[in-house]
Amino acid sequence: DIVMTQSPDSLAVSLGERATINCKSSQSVLYNPKNKNYLSWYQQKPGQPPKLLIYWASTRGSGVPERFSGSGSGTDFTLTISSLQAEDVAIYYCQQYYTTLWTFGQGTKVEIK
Amino acid sequence: EVQLVQSGAEVKKPGESLRISCKTSGYDFGDFWIGWARQLPGKGLEWMGIVDLPDSEIKYSPSFEGQVTISADRSINTAYLHWSTLRASDTGMYFCARQPGVVGDTVRDYWGQGTLVTVSS
């Protein structure tokens, strides 16, 4: 298994401020022939399935606001919310799809300070 | 429009068997894999395994090998998750998800709405 570890487990940020979540994989998820990182970020709100925010580590999904951005390569990745909005309160997961047996990070709960 | 519709909530007793379903529509069922994820109460997402329809394979994450059975019926575009002997520790929400696909210039993901399974004596 590729183990995904996120930090922190939770964070509280004031409205309009930046939120940063880190994710580390136990092995590289960079597929060199395509030069792509097989890493996604998901957002999950209570009672809902996860929603894809970022794929290929840095490409925003359909309809995802520009305040969400992803960066990183190899084993270290970051999700940034540049200006936190009330509707961003959720749990965020990183996920590798380097193998078809996906693995998720443990999740980071984002709240309003 | 791609849709994944899961069967309804279940309440079962320990030791009973259960099969939940994920009915798909809006695309060619055989072109993509379907996976299952578990979410225990108040916990994170765990990937259980997939039914890989293009390659006709079923793959399980190590933690779930031997604990559940994943299958599919191509004739009705439906995937299944089956337990032969439920335990209280199986209580949780179960999601199906289709392999993400390229739509226009972006990648789309598709999930079922979730099935709540409660196992209690």
Side-chain angles (χ1 to χ4, degrees), chain B residues 1-81:
Chain B
E1 179 192 6
V2 175
Q3 289 191 316
L4 283 70
V5 179
Q6 296 184 228
S7 49
E10 301 274 1
V11 180
K12 303 294 257 186
K13 290 182 166 43
E16 292 185 331
S17 65
L18 174 65
R19 188 179 76 169
I20 62 175
S21 65
C22 174
K23 181 162 180 58
T24 74
S25 60
Y27 72 98
D28 191 330
F29 187 65
D31 283 353
F32 299 91
W33 53 251
I34 297 283
W36 289 93
R38 179 176 80 174
Q39 191 161 38
L40 300 177
K43 302 297 184 182
L45 295 161
E46 300 172 272
W47 195 243
M48 303 174 75
I50 66 168
V51 51
D52 187 342
L53 292 149
D55 291 342
S56 296
E57 287 186 81
I58 296 172
K59 304 173 188 176
Y60 297 94
S61 296
S63 300
F64 295 93
E65 183 86 55
Q67 307 304 307
V68 294
T69 302
I70 294 170
S71 62
D73 186 336
R74 292 174 186 259
S75 68
I76 55 171
N77 299 340
T78 300
Y80 299 99
L81 181 63

Side-chain angles (χ1 to χ4, degrees), chain A residues 16 20 37 42 65 84 97 104 111-112:
Chain A
T20 302
N37 288 281
Y42 282 83
L84 191 75
Y97 51 102
F104 293 91
E111 300 172 305
I112 305 294

Side-chain angles (χ1 to χ4, degrees), chain A residues 19-37:
Chain A
T20 302
I21 302 169
N22 299 303
C23 173
K24 181 180 277 287
S25 58
S26 61
Q27 67 185 72
S28 176
V29 296
L30 173 63
Y31 184 53
N32 283 312
K34 292 190 174 183
N35 195 31
K36 286 186 180 294
N37 288 281

Side-chain angles (χ1 to χ4, degrees), chain A residues 1 42 44 52 55 93 100 102, chain B residues 33 39 44 47 62 106-107 109:
Chain A
D1 277 19
Y42 282 83
Q44 189 181 29
L52 180 64
Y55 59 94
Y93 297 91
T100 52
W102 294 356
Chain B
W33 53 251
Q39 191 161 38
W47 195 243
T106 190
V107 168
D109 66 325

